[in-house]
Amino acid sequence: MQTKDYLDRYYGGYDEDSRLEPKHGRVEFITTMSYIKKYLYAPGMRVLEIGAGTGRYSHALAREGYEVDAVELVESNIEVFKNNTQPGEPVKITQGDARELINYTDSTYDVTLLLGPMYHLFTREDQEKALAEAVRVTKPGGVIFTAYCMGDPSIIAFGFIKGNIHQLMDKGMLDMETFTPRSDPWDIFQLYRKEHIDSLREMLPVEQLHFIAADGFTEHMRETVDAMDDETYELYLRYHLTICERQDMVGWSHHTLDVFRKK
């Protein structure tokens, strides 16, 4: 099967639209939106979301007055995206591939979001193509947000805590000298370490602005976070947003956000 076939099968049976709804899931969403809003400051600014999924970010930004174009590969996600679109909402979605944005012109968008595709690209060549396309369509001085799934939190949580470490070893998903994770398209998710992300960014004509632990330690204590009363949860969010750029915390985060400006 092709990579898209695996993604169609996965997302066709997964409620992606509700992933960011529980308190633990909202931490990633709230963190990402708080940083996006640092660089969106005037209604009518143009946003492109590449790999928009079911549109959680696209719809939120469009409803605040920003002009949003969205690209998504998976048909089932596009259907949900369209069903979630409110009348008059300044957003439109097309089917497309992050590696080749053939319908989008150079230097068009103030902010470009690449919040999903890097999860599902398994070769260096494909990863570089997606990043280069995101930079290409962004205006000079515009800002790109790129999300990654990190390897070590998954090794700890899925491997050691849930008792699957020998399964990962037997499947060849770990380099047993460095414990660097390895993934194939049928594994669905590509896992990264920060040095890999840094090396991808360094080949781009960009200036890094932030490297963020999007959910920090939250996924390791999701039951605790979900059980918090509202006052405690708000305090936890304040704490998380205070420490989410501390580089000694980034390695614990299941999701990270690399933010950079096009030169």
Side-chain angles (χ1 to χ4, degrees):
M1 289 196 295
Q2 299 295 317
T3 299
K4 183 178 181 300
D5 297 324
Y6 291 109
L7 294 177
D8 286 341
R9 186 169 65 180
Y10 176 78
Y11 284 107
Y14 177 70
D15 187 4
E16 171 66 15
D17 201 34
S18 65
R19 183 178 70 86
L20 301 177
E21 287 295 335
K23 283 181 176 177
H24 75 268
R26 294 204 301 269
V27 173
E28 178 189 349
F29 177 77
I30 290 167
T31 304
T32 303
M33 285 293 287
S34 72
Y35 277 88
I36 292 171
K37 290 181 180 181
K38 292 178 186 289
Y39 300 99
L40 283 177
Y41 46 82
M45 290 182 74
R46 298 196 67 185
V47 178
L48 177 66
E49 184 174 13
I50 306 165
T54 56
R56 182 69 184 272
Y57 291 97
S58 288
H59 291 308
L61 294 169
R63 290 165 192 169
E64 293 191 15
Y66 301 108
E67 185 179 344
V68 181
D69 290 331
V71 182
E72 172 57 29
L73 183 64
V74 177
E75 290 90 344
S76 59
N77 285 341
I78 293 172
E79 182 178 351
V80 176
F81 187 108
K82 290 179 177 178
N83 289 337
N84 288 343
T85 303
Q86 297 177 356
E89 193 176 317
V91 63
K92 59 182 178 181
I93 187 167
T94 58
Q95 187 172 24
D97 189 318
R99 297 166 295 181
E100 190 176 8
L101 300 173
I102 58 176
N103 296 318
Y104 297 87
T105 57
D106 296 359
S107 303
T108 300
Y109 296 94
D110 299 287
V111 167
T112 299
L113 308 178
L114 194 71
L115 302 181
M118 303 304 286
Y119 297 176
H120 307 303
L121 297 174
F122 297 90
T123 69
R124 176 82 182 201
E125 179 183 6
D126 284 346
Q127 293 159 7
E128 290 180 355
K129 284 180 178 178
L131 287 165
E133 282 289 83
V135 173
R136 177 183 67 79
V137 300
T138 305
K139 295 177 180 178
V143 178
I144 298 98
F145 291 76
T146 306
Y148 295 90
C149 292
M150 304 301 282
D152 291 292
S154 295
I155 293 170
I156 293 167
F158 183 77
F160 287 105
I161 294 176
K162 294 186 177 180
N164 297 303
I165 191 65
H166 294 288
Q167 176 185 340
L168 297 178
M169 293 165 55
D170 293 343
K171 291 176 64 177
M173 295 182 69
L174 293 175
D175 180 314
M176 293 314 301
E177 290 189 7
T178 65
F179 283 88
T180 302
R182 298 169 174 163
S183 301
D184 291 297
W186 50 86
D187 299 311
I188 306 298
F189 291 98
Q190 170 72 350
L191 303 176
Y192 296 82
R193 281 181 166 167
K194 187 173 183 297
E195 56 266 29
H196 185 187
I197 298 168
D198 289 340
S199 70
L200 287 166
R201 184 183 57 258
E202 287 165 1
M203 62 87 173
L204 300 168
V206 300
E207 168 197 8
Q208 188 183 38
L209 301 171
H210 311 278
F211 194 83
I212 303 156
D215 45 27
F217 205 73
T218 305
E219 286 288 335
H220 301 284
M221 48 182 281
R222 60 165 62 191
E223 293 84 3
T224 299
V225 173
D226 287 344
M228 289 176 178
D229 59 59
D230 290 345
E231 182 180 2
T232 305
Y233 183 66
E234 290 301 318
L235 188 62
Y236 178 73
L237 288 173
R238 285 174 51 198
Y239 168 73
H240 166 73
L241 290 169
T242 300
I243 67 167
C244 67
E245 285 196 63
R246 278 179 44 179
Q247 295 308 287
D248 58 334
M249 302 300 295
V250 168
W252 289 107
S253 188
H254 277 74
H255 301 89
T256 58
L257 193 62
D258 196 16
V259 185
F260 42 86
R261 189 189 306 276
K262 181 177 178 178
K263 294 181 179 179

